[in-house]
Amino acid sequence: MKIITSILDLNKEIKNYKNIGFVPTMGGIHAGHISLIKASQKKKRETIVSIFVNPTQFNNTIDFRKYPRDIKKDIVCLKKLNVNYLLLPSTKDIYKFKARKFVLRKKDKILCAKFRKGHFEGVLNVMNRLMSIVKSKDLFMGEKDYQQLYLIRKYLSKKFDVRINSCQTIRTADKIALSTRNKLLNKKSLEKASHIAKLLIKIKKSKLQSSKFKLDLSDYKIELEKKFNIKVDYLEFRDEKNLKLNNLKDKFRLFIAYNINKIRLIDNF
Ligand code: AMP
């Protein structure tokens, strides 16, 4: 595995490749990230993983500072996986060139876009930059961050003529979605996260089985908040294709974001 820290070096390295699979991450490599890497390798792509904790997508500097980082461990893990390139760019390098600014359309200001002001503008900004640097044929992203996947498809996929491959959420045996942020949770919070995930799987199942199921989940939201002492930002069923509310055809998902001990977790089922 070659480790590349400058965009200039990356350009030199990859200029003749037409077969790149790109896996952008913020590090703290776990089995969720690994599933994206394996999907790229399965397609026989020259796989580039980037690790960049993007400051512009954090709407809170404390959250940015305490985001778990362990680059040494990540390198060992990525080497074992035979990743071709690891891109470790500096903030200066990523933000040194002019690029389009993104403003979300009103109808996209839902779910996390409503609760984390500026977050997705930051995600689109950095992804626009990374994708213009890496120029991959395939991009691999997780359904764990479903709204992110949706917005990148919507705002960026045409510009870059890239195939966006979505990969299922990888969970622990007790149903917690893997996330680098989980490292910030203590044992009790992890237990709660597991109970919450199992409960939400049940709620989704009962919706699938009953035509009379109430779409308004405010009672469940209050119950979750009381039972687990958490703050739920949203708990909503939305259409899988267009993320619309109350207009559910056969494919829909249950979306949640909540704060547990000051750590914000998101998931969807
Ligand atoms: P992150 O490092 O959290 O920014 O995530 C980098 C990529 O990995 C994104 O496309 C995420 O959606 C994806 N990802 C994160 N967690 C998981 C998971 N548990 N299962 C599958 N993909 C994931």
Side-chain angles (χ1 to χ4, degrees), residues 23-27 30 32-33 35-36 57 67 140-145 148 167-171 177-180:
V23 181
T25 82
M26 298 210 295
H30 53 64
H33 299 125
S35 74
L36 310 186
Q57 73 188 68
Y67 193 82
F140 295 85
M141 305 199 80
E143 289 179 353
K144 156 79 172 49
D145 301 279
Q148 167 175 282
C167 302
Q168 275 179 16
T169 302
I170 306 296
R171 297 179 182 279
L178 292 178
S179 163
T180 303

PDB file of all heavy atoms in Angstrom, residues 23-27 30 32-33 35-36 57 67 140-145 148 167-171 177-180, ligand 1:
ATOM      1  N   VAL A  23     -12.886   5.013  -1.744  1.00  0.00           N
ATOM      2  CA  VAL A  23     -13.589   4.840  -0.464  1.00  0.00           C
ATOM      3  C   VAL A  23     -13.186   5.994   0.462  1.00  0.00           C
ATOM      4  O   VAL A  23     -12.171   5.919   1.155  1.00  0.00           O
ATOM      5  CB  VAL A  23     -13.230   3.482   0.194  1.00  0.00           C
ATOM      6  CG1 VAL A  23     -13.995   3.307   1.506  1.00  0.00           C
ATOM      7  CG2 VAL A  23     -13.499   2.310  -0.742  1.00  0.00           C
ATOM      8  N   PRO A  24     -13.965   7.075   0.460  1.00  0.00           N
ATOM      9  CA  PRO A  24     -13.621   8.191   1.365  1.00  0.00           C
ATOM     10  C   PRO A  24     -14.063   7.894   2.803  1.00  0.00           C
ATOM     11  O   PRO A  24     -15.178   7.409   3.025  1.00  0.00           O
ATOM     12  CB  PRO A  24     -14.432   9.369   0.794  1.00  0.00           C
ATOM     13  CG  PRO A  24     -15.506   8.778  -0.039  1.00  0.00           C
ATOM     14  CD  PRO A  24     -15.123   7.368  -0.393  1.00  0.00           C
ATOM     15  N   THR A  25     -13.187   8.167   3.757  1.00  0.00           N
ATOM     16  CA  THR A  25     -13.534   7.931   5.170  1.00  0.00           C
ATOM     17  C   THR A  25     -12.946   9.039   6.051  1.00  0.00           C
ATOM     18  O   THR A  25     -12.117   9.825   5.604  1.00  0.00           O
ATOM     19  CB  THR A  25     -12.952   6.590   5.717  1.00  0.00           C
ATOM     20  OG1 THR A  25     -11.585   6.802   6.098  1.00  0.00           O
ATOM     21  CG2 THR A  25     -13.023   5.463   4.720  1.00  0.00           C
ATOM     22  N   MET A  26     -13.373   9.008   7.303  1.00  0.00           N
ATOM     23  CA  MET A  26     -12.752   9.896   8.289  1.00  0.00           C
ATOM     24  C   MET A  26     -11.914   9.074   9.272  1.00  0.00           C
ATOM     25  O   MET A  26     -11.573   9.549  10.360  1.00  0.00           O
ATOM     26  CB  MET A  26     -13.829  10.693   9.033  1.00  0.00           C
ATOM     27  CG  MET A  26     -14.623  11.588   8.077  1.00  0.00           C
ATOM     28  SD  MET A  26     -15.250  13.089   8.815  1.00  0.00           S
ATOM     29  CE  MET A  26     -16.384  12.422   9.995  1.00  0.00           C
ATOM     30  N   GLY A  27     -11.597   7.852   8.882  1.00  0.00           N
ATOM     31  CA  GLY A  27     -10.703   7.033   9.699  1.00  0.00           C
ATOM     32  C   GLY A  27     -11.388   6.338  10.865  1.00  0.00           C
ATOM     33  O   GLY A  27     -12.617   6.358  10.983  1.00  0.00           O
ATOM     34  N   HIS A  30     -13.235   0.517  10.646  1.00  0.00           N
ATOM     35  CA  HIS A  30     -13.967  -0.596  11.272  1.00  0.00           C
ATOM     36  C   HIS A  30     -14.584  -1.456  10.172  1.00  0.00           C
ATOM     37  O   HIS A  30     -14.414  -1.160   8.966  1.00  0.00           O
ATOM     38  CB  HIS A  30     -15.018  -0.060  12.248  1.00  0.00           C
ATOM     39  CG  HIS A  30     -15.954   0.959  11.649  1.00  0.00           C
ATOM     40  ND1 HIS A  30     -16.837   0.672  10.626  1.00  0.00           N
ATOM     41  CD2 HIS A  30     -16.138   2.289  11.923  1.00  0.00           C
ATOM     42  CE1 HIS A  30     -17.539   1.742  10.318  1.00  0.00           C
ATOM     43  NE2 HIS A  30     -17.121   2.751  11.076  1.00  0.00           N
ATOM     44  N   GLY A  32     -17.425  -1.676   8.940  1.00  0.00           N
ATOM     45  CA  GLY A  32     -18.267  -0.960   7.970  1.00  0.00           C
ATOM     46  C   GLY A  32     -17.411  -0.439   6.821  1.00  0.00           C
ATOM     47  O   GLY A  32     -17.715  -0.654   5.635  1.00  0.00           O
ATOM     48  N   HIS A  33     -16.315   0.247   7.160  1.00  0.00           N
ATOM     49  CA  HIS A  33     -15.386   0.738   6.128  1.00  0.00           C
ATOM     50  C   HIS A  33     -14.824  -0.441   5.321  1.00  0.00           C
ATOM     51  O   HIS A  33     -14.696  -0.368   4.096  1.00  0.00           O
ATOM     52  CB  HIS A  33     -14.203   1.474   6.770  1.00  0.00           C
ATOM     53  CG  HIS A  33     -14.576   2.685   7.572  1.00  0.00           C
ATOM     54  ND1 HIS A  33     -14.213   2.841   8.886  1.00  0.00           N
ATOM     55  CD2 HIS A  33     -15.281   3.790   7.249  1.00  0.00           C
ATOM     56  CE1 HIS A  33     -14.646   4.001   9.332  1.00  0.00           C
ATOM     57  NE2 HIS A  33     -15.310   4.600   8.373  1.00  0.00           N
ATOM     58  N   SER A  35     -16.104  -3.236   4.631  1.00  0.00           N
ATOM     59  CA  SER A  35     -17.061  -3.789   3.653  1.00  0.00           C
ATOM     60  C   SER A  35     -17.040  -2.960   2.365  1.00  0.00           C
ATOM     61  O   SER A  35     -17.203  -3.499   1.267  1.00  0.00           O
ATOM     62  CB  SER A  35     -18.473  -3.855   4.249  1.00  0.00           C
ATOM     63  OG  SER A  35     -19.047  -2.569   4.318  1.00  0.00           O
ATOM     64  N   LEU A  36     -16.817  -1.660   2.470  1.00  0.00           N
ATOM     65  CA  LEU A  36     -16.756  -0.810   1.269  1.00  0.00           C
ATOM     66  C   LEU A  36     -15.477  -1.131   0.474  1.00  0.00           C
ATOM     67  O   LEU A  36     -15.499  -1.218  -0.756  1.00  0.00           O
ATOM     68  CB  LEU A  36     -16.757   0.672   1.622  1.00  0.00           C
ATOM     69  CG  LEU A  36     -17.809   1.241   2.582  1.00  0.00           C
ATOM     70  CD1 LEU A  36     -17.690   2.757   2.672  1.00  0.00           C
ATOM     71  CD2 LEU A  36     -19.215   0.890   2.137  1.00  0.00           C
ATOM     72  N   GLN A  57     -17.459  20.010   7.931  1.00  0.00           N
ATOM     73  CA  GLN A  57     -18.747  19.332   8.136  1.00  0.00           C
ATOM     74  C   GLN A  57     -19.130  19.203   9.610  1.00  0.00           C
ATOM     75  O   GLN A  57     -20.176  18.671   9.929  1.00  0.00           O
ATOM     76  CB  GLN A  57     -18.767  17.975   7.439  1.00  0.00           C
ATOM     77  CG  GLN A  57     -17.935  16.901   8.100  1.00  0.00           C
ATOM     78  CD  GLN A  57     -17.868  15.658   7.233  1.00  0.00           C
ATOM     79  OE1 GLN A  57     -17.265  15.653   6.164  1.00  0.00           O
ATOM     80  NE2 GLN A  57     -18.505  14.588   7.679  1.00  0.00           N
ATOM     81  N   TYR A  67     -13.376  13.874  17.821  1.00  0.00           N
ATOM     82  CA  TYR A  67     -13.636  12.778  16.881  1.00  0.00           C
ATOM     83  C   TYR A  67     -12.466  11.778  16.961  1.00  0.00           C
ATOM     84  O   TYR A  67     -11.297  12.173  16.855  1.00  0.00           O
ATOM     85  CB  TYR A  67     -13.774  13.333  15.450  1.00  0.00           C
ATOM     86  CG  TYR A  67     -14.342  12.298  14.510  1.00  0.00           C
ATOM     87  CD1 TYR A  67     -15.703  12.079  14.434  1.00  0.00           C
ATOM     88  CD2 TYR A  67     -13.496  11.504  13.727  1.00  0.00           C
ATOM     89  CE1 TYR A  67     -16.225  11.102  13.606  1.00  0.00           C
ATOM     90  CE2 TYR A  67     -14.016  10.529  12.899  1.00  0.00           C
ATOM     91  CZ  TYR A  67     -15.374  10.328  12.839  1.00  0.00           C
ATOM     92  OH  TYR A  67     -15.890   9.360  12.025  1.00  0.00           O
ATOM     93  N   PHE A 140     -17.617   4.194  -3.283  1.00  0.00           N
ATOM     94  CA  PHE A 140     -18.264   3.225  -2.391  1.00  0.00           C
ATOM     95  C   PHE A 140     -18.656   3.941  -1.098  1.00  0.00           C
ATOM     96  O   PHE A 140     -17.802   4.519  -0.426  1.00  0.00           O
ATOM     97  CB  PHE A 140     -17.329   2.043  -2.116  1.00  0.00           C
ATOM     98  CG  PHE A 140     -17.047   1.259  -3.371  1.00  0.00           C
ATOM     99  CD1 PHE A 140     -16.025   1.645  -4.234  1.00  0.00           C
ATOM    100  CD2 PHE A 140     -17.841   0.176  -3.724  1.00  0.00           C
ATOM    101  CE1 PHE A 140     -15.788   0.952  -5.415  1.00  0.00           C
ATOM    102  CE2 PHE A 140     -17.618  -0.520  -4.895  1.00  0.00           C
ATOM    103  CZ  PHE A 140     -16.583  -0.136  -5.746  1.00  0.00           C
ATOM    104  N   MET A 141     -19.960   3.904  -0.806  1.00  0.00           N
ATOM    105  CA  MET A 141     -20.450   4.615   0.375  1.00  0.00           C
ATOM    106  C   MET A 141     -21.457   3.751   1.135  1.00  0.00           C
ATOM    107  O   MET A 141     -22.114   2.880   0.547  1.00  0.00           O
ATOM    108  CB  MET A 141     -21.116   5.927  -0.035  1.00  0.00           C
ATOM    109  CG  MET A 141     -20.198   6.804  -0.865  1.00  0.00           C
ATOM    110  SD  MET A 141     -20.721   8.500  -0.891  1.00  0.00           S
ATOM    111  CE  MET A 141     -20.098   9.055   0.662  1.00  0.00           C
ATOM    112  N   GLY A 142     -21.604   4.030   2.418  1.00  0.00           N
ATOM    113  CA  GLY A 142     -22.448   3.192   3.263  1.00  0.00           C
ATOM    114  C   GLY A 142     -23.860   3.734   3.448  1.00  0.00           C
ATOM    115  O   GLY A 142     -24.072   4.947   3.546  1.00  0.00           O
ATOM    116  N   GLU A 143     -24.801   2.818   3.515  1.00  0.00           N
ATOM    117  CA  GLU A 143     -26.195   3.193   3.793  1.00  0.00           C
ATOM    118  C   GLU A 143     -26.377   3.659   5.230  1.00  0.00           C
ATOM    119  O   GLU A 143     -27.401   4.226   5.574  1.00  0.00           O
ATOM    120  CB  GLU A 143     -27.120   1.996   3.515  1.00  0.00           C
ATOM    121  CG  GLU A 143     -27.242   1.706   2.047  1.00  0.00           C
ATOM    122  CD  GLU A 143     -28.141   0.519   1.743  1.00  0.00           C
ATOM    123  OE1 GLU A 143     -28.573  -0.177   2.686  1.00  0.00           O
ATOM    124  OE2 GLU A 143     -28.401   0.301   0.554  1.00  0.00           O
ATOM    125  N   LYS A 144     -25.390   3.402   6.054  1.00  0.00           N
ATOM    126  CA  LYS A 144     -25.422   3.900   7.433  1.00  0.00           C
ATOM    127  C   LYS A 144     -25.688   5.415   7.431  1.00  0.00           C
ATOM    128  O   LYS A 144     -26.431   5.932   8.247  1.00  0.00           O
ATOM    129  CB  LYS A 144     -24.086   3.558   8.095  1.00  0.00           C
ATOM    130  CG  LYS A 144     -23.662   4.413   9.254  1.00  0.00           C
ATOM    131  CD  LYS A 144     -24.379   4.007  10.507  1.00  0.00           C
ATOM    132  CE  LYS A 144     -23.869   4.675  11.753  1.00  0.00           C
ATOM    133  NZ  LYS A 144     -23.716   6.104  11.695  1.00  0.00           N
ATOM    134  N   ASP A 145     -25.040   6.109   6.473  1.00  0.00           N
ATOM    135  CA  ASP A 145     -25.235   7.555   6.330  1.00  0.00           C
ATOM    136  C   ASP A 145     -26.129   7.786   5.115  1.00  0.00           C
ATOM    137  O   ASP A 145     -25.681   8.288   4.083  1.00  0.00           O
ATOM    138  CB  ASP A 145     -23.875   8.240   6.171  1.00  0.00           C
ATOM    139  CG  ASP A 145     -22.989   7.955   7.362  1.00  0.00           C
ATOM    140  OD1 ASP A 145     -23.149   8.626   8.382  1.00  0.00           O
ATOM    141  OD2 ASP A 145     -22.157   7.017   7.289  1.00  0.00           O
ATOM    142  N   GLN A 148     -26.622  11.253   3.541  1.00  0.00           N
ATOM    143  CA  GLN A 148     -25.383  11.676   2.883  1.00  0.00           C
ATOM    144  C   GLN A 148     -25.278  11.037   1.496  1.00  0.00           C
ATOM    145  O   GLN A 148     -24.996  11.710   0.501  1.00  0.00           O
ATOM    146  CB  GLN A 148     -24.203  11.255   3.756  1.00  0.00           C
ATOM    147  CG  GLN A 148     -22.845  11.336   3.090  1.00  0.00           C
ATOM    148  CD  GLN A 148     -21.728  11.021   4.069  1.00  0.00           C
ATOM    149  OE1 GLN A 148     -21.363  11.862   4.867  1.00  0.00           O
ATOM    150  NE2 GLN A 148     -21.180   9.826   4.023  1.00  0.00           N
ATOM    151  N   CYS A 167     -23.500   0.474   0.067  1.00  0.00           N
ATOM    152  CA  CYS A 167     -23.240  -0.790   0.780  1.00  0.00           C
ATOM    153  C   CYS A 167     -24.054  -0.812   2.068  1.00  0.00           C
ATOM    154  O   CYS A 167     -24.177   0.213   2.754  1.00  0.00           O
ATOM    155  CB  CYS A 167     -21.757  -0.903   1.113  1.00  0.00           C
ATOM    156  SG  CYS A 167     -20.714  -0.829  -0.367  1.00  0.00           S
ATOM    157  N   GLN A 168     -24.585  -1.989   2.353  1.00  0.00           N
ATOM    158  CA  GLN A 168     -25.439  -2.166   3.548  1.00  0.00           C
ATOM    159  C   GLN A 168     -24.726  -1.807   4.845  1.00  0.00           C
ATOM    160  O   GLN A 168     -23.513  -1.969   4.941  1.00  0.00           O
ATOM    161  CB  GLN A 168     -25.803  -3.643   3.670  1.00  0.00           C
ATOM    162  CG  GLN A 168     -26.990  -4.028   2.856  1.00  0.00           C
ATOM    163  CD  GLN A 168     -27.273  -5.517   3.015  1.00  0.00           C
ATOM    164  OE1 GLN A 168     -26.776  -6.171   3.923  1.00  0.00           O
ATOM    165  NE2 GLN A 168     -28.083  -6.025   2.128  1.00  0.00           N
ATOM    166  N   THR A 169     -25.521  -1.418   5.815  1.00  0.00           N
ATOM    167  CA  THR A 169     -24.949  -1.089   7.125  1.00  0.00           C
ATOM    168  C   THR A 169     -24.455  -2.357   7.834  1.00  0.00           C
ATOM    169  O   THR A 169     -25.181  -3.338   7.940  1.00  0.00           O
ATOM    170  CB  THR A 169     -26.029  -0.408   8.001  1.00  0.00           C
ATOM    171  OG1 THR A 169     -26.480   0.749   7.305  1.00  0.00           O
ATOM    172  CG2 THR A 169     -25.486  -0.025   9.365  1.00  0.00           C
ATOM    173  N   ILE A 170     -23.230  -2.293   8.289  1.00  0.00           N
ATOM    174  CA  ILE A 170     -22.672  -3.420   9.046  1.00  0.00           C
ATOM    175  C   ILE A 170     -22.916  -3.154  10.535  1.00  0.00           C
ATOM    176  O   ILE A 170     -22.646  -2.051  11.033  1.00  0.00           O
ATOM    177  CB  ILE A 170     -21.147  -3.578   8.773  1.00  0.00           C
ATOM    178  CG1 ILE A 170     -20.870  -3.684   7.270  1.00  0.00           C
ATOM    179  CG2 ILE A 170     -20.566  -4.757   9.539  1.00  0.00           C
ATOM    180  CD1 ILE A 170     -21.446  -4.902   6.581  1.00  0.00           C
ATOM    181  N   ARG A 171     -23.425  -4.182  11.213  1.00  0.00           N
ATOM    182  CA  ARG A 171     -23.780  -4.054  12.634  1.00  0.00           C
ATOM    183  C   ARG A 171     -23.007  -5.054  13.491  1.00  0.00           C
ATOM    184  O   ARG A 171     -22.555  -6.075  12.986  1.00  0.00           O
ATOM    185  CB  ARG A 171     -25.287  -4.326  12.818  1.00  0.00           C
ATOM    186  CG  ARG A 171     -26.150  -3.337  12.105  1.00  0.00           C
ATOM    187  CD  ARG A 171     -27.641  -3.604  12.243  1.00  0.00           C
ATOM    188  NE  ARG A 171     -28.328  -2.587  11.459  1.00  0.00           N
ATOM    189  CZ  ARG A 171     -28.556  -1.351  11.882  1.00  0.00           C
ATOM    190  NH1 ARG A 171     -28.213  -1.008  13.119  1.00  0.00           N
ATOM    191  NH2 ARG A 171     -29.131  -0.458  11.115  1.00  0.00           N
ATOM    192  N   ALA A 177     -25.113  -0.234  14.842  1.00  0.00           N
ATOM    193  CA  ALA A 177     -24.421   0.083  13.586  1.00  0.00           C
ATOM    194  C   ALA A 177     -22.994   0.505  13.916  1.00  0.00           C
ATOM    195  O   ALA A 177     -22.784   1.352  14.791  1.00  0.00           O
ATOM    196  CB  ALA A 177     -25.148   1.216  12.877  1.00  0.00           C
ATOM    197  N   LEU A 178     -22.027  -0.096  13.231  1.00  0.00           N
ATOM    198  CA  LEU A 178     -20.636   0.280  13.507  1.00  0.00           C
ATOM    199  C   LEU A 178     -20.427   1.739  13.125  1.00  0.00           C
ATOM    200  O   LEU A 178     -20.943   2.207  12.117  1.00  0.00           O
ATOM    201  CB  LEU A 178     -19.686  -0.612  12.710  1.00  0.00           C
ATOM    202  CG  LEU A 178     -19.665  -2.067  13.156  1.00  0.00           C
ATOM    203  CD1 LEU A 178     -18.731  -2.867  12.267  1.00  0.00           C
ATOM    204  CD2 LEU A 178     -19.217  -2.190  14.602  1.00  0.00           C
ATOM    205  N   SER A 179     -19.679   2.422  13.956  1.00  0.00           N
ATOM    206  CA  SER A 179     -19.393   3.832  13.709  1.00  0.00           C
ATOM    207  C   SER A 179     -18.146   4.198  14.505  1.00  0.00           C
ATOM    208  O   SER A 179     -17.961   3.718  15.628  1.00  0.00           O
ATOM    209  CB  SER A 179     -20.587   4.671  14.183  1.00  0.00           C
ATOM    210  OG  SER A 179     -20.203   6.018  14.323  1.00  0.00           O
ATOM    211  N   THR A 180     -17.321   5.058  13.915  1.00  0.00           N
ATOM    212  CA  THR A 180     -16.109   5.492  14.619  1.00  0.00           C
ATOM    213  C   THR A 180     -16.488   6.177  15.933  1.00  0.00           C
ATOM    214  O   THR A 180     -15.793   6.056  16.940  1.00  0.00           O
ATOM    215  CB  THR A 180     -15.301   6.446  13.710  1.00  0.00           C
ATOM    216  OG1 THR A 180     -15.016   5.739  12.501  1.00  0.00           O
ATOM    217  CG2 THR A 180     -14.002   6.891  14.352  1.00  0.00           C
TER     218      THR A 180
HETATM  219  P1  AMP B   1     -17.007   7.810   7.995  1.00  0.00           P
HETATM  220  O1  AMP B   1     -15.604   7.408   8.206  1.00  0.00           O
HETATM  221  O2  AMP B   1     -17.886   7.625   9.196  1.00  0.00           O
HETATM  222  O3  AMP B   1     -17.137   9.176   7.372  1.00  0.00           O
HETATM  223  O4  AMP B   1     -17.601   6.791   6.924  1.00  0.00           O
HETATM  224  C1  AMP B   1     -16.968   6.566   5.700  1.00  0.00           C
HETATM  225  C2  AMP B   1     -17.851   5.706   4.845  1.00  0.00           C
HETATM  226  O5  AMP B   1     -18.108   4.467   5.518  1.00  0.00           O
HETATM  227  C3  AMP B   1     -19.220   6.346   4.574  1.00  0.00           C
HETATM  228  O6  AMP B   1     -19.610   6.050   3.244  1.00  0.00           O
HETATM  229  C4  AMP B   1     -20.103   5.643   5.567  1.00  0.00           C
HETATM  230  O7  AMP B   1     -21.468   5.598   5.198  1.00  0.00           O
HETATM  231  C5  AMP B   1     -19.505   4.247   5.593  1.00  0.00           C
HETATM  232  N1  AMP B   1     -19.859   3.553   6.831  1.00  0.00           N
HETATM  233  C6  AMP B   1     -19.723   4.022   8.098  1.00  0.00           C
HETATM  234  N2  AMP B   1     -20.212   3.144   8.992  1.00  0.00           N
HETATM  235  C7  AMP B   1     -20.690   2.095   8.278  1.00  0.00           C
HETATM  236  C8  AMP B   1     -21.330   0.857   8.617  1.00  0.00           C
HETATM  237  N3  AMP B   1     -21.584   0.516   9.873  1.00  0.00           N
HETATM  238  N4  AMP B   1     -21.671   0.018   7.613  1.00  0.00           N
HETATM  239  C9  AMP B   1     -21.416   0.334   6.323  1.00  0.00           C
HETATM  240  N5  AMP B   1     -20.813   1.482   5.942  1.00  0.00           N
HETATM  241  C10 AMP B   1     -20.460   2.370   6.893  1.00  0.00           C
END
